[in-house]
Amino acid sequence: MSQFFQIHPDNPQLRLIKQAVQIIDQGGIVALPTDSCYALVCHLDDKDAVMRLRRIRGVDEKHHLTLLCRDLSEIAQYAKVDNRQFRMLKAATPGAYTFILEATKEVPRRLSHPSRKTIGLRVPENQITHALLEELKQPLLGTTLILPDEDEPLTDPELVRARLEKQIDLVIDGGACSLIPTTVIDMTQEMPELIRQGRGDAALFGL
């Protein structure tokens, strides 16, 4: 049975943030709000938690999971970013974008795309998520909360609780989120490529 925390979206309670991080450190799966949809997240280095997350989401190892990072410097730890890419990322972070970049050796091999050695990364503009990342002091591994065989993400924390309380460890109620997921930009080639149009304005990348 999952726990349910109501956390203030603008002034997250540190006590609850610390408890949430403890759950993540112990291998828990957490549903949390972002600046786009609700997401399922777990600890980057916990293999069992990552497998559970993929099972709940109904995706295999070819599906890009996303590293939720605190800032650009943390992105640069886990992805190879040149000066041109850095300038574009700086203009779009934090925000509702997911970037596909070439993974560095810091990324466990099981997390990068098996054939392309790429990883999805983002810097969310959400106070609750940011507080968790600051307390954890490393990225969270996440995916949009869309259940298997469904097209729409879950955006109501009470509904998330009703649907997933026996499968995940914590639901964070930070208010309702958008139905629109992040805009996904592939930056592994010379020119950015739009993979999915979402909340973020692709015009920032000339797309």
Side-chain angles (χ1 to χ4, degrees), residues 57 146-151:
R57 182 69 166 74
I146 302 175
L147 295 181
D149 303 319
E150 296 189 10
D151 297 322

Side-chain angles (χ1 to χ4, degrees), residues 40-107:
L40 288 176
V41 300
C42 69
H43 201 288
L44 167 65
D45 296 318
D46 192 318
K47 185 178 180 182
D48 291 338
V50 175
M51 288 173 64
R52 276 181 63 208
L53 186 144
R54 286 191 184 276
R55 278 200 303 273
I56 294 166
R57 182 69 166 74
V59 296
D60 63 18
E61 71 278 358
K62 292 180 182 176
H63 180 87
H64 267 117
L65 298 177
T66 300
L67 289 183
L68 283 66
C69 299
R70 285 177 282 182
D71 52 32
L72 270 182
S73 63
E74 199 161 64
I75 281 185
Q77 271 185 264
Y78 294 89
K80 296 176 182 177
V81 180
D82 63 26
N83 290 337
R84 177 185 57 85
Q85 291 167 327
F86 185 86
R87 285 193 297 273
M88 286 190 279
L89 291 173
K90 189 174 181 181
T93 55
Y97 298 89
T98 298
F99 306 105
I100 308 299
L101 289 158
E102 187 179 348
T104 67
K105 291 178 181 176
E106 293 290 321
V107 178

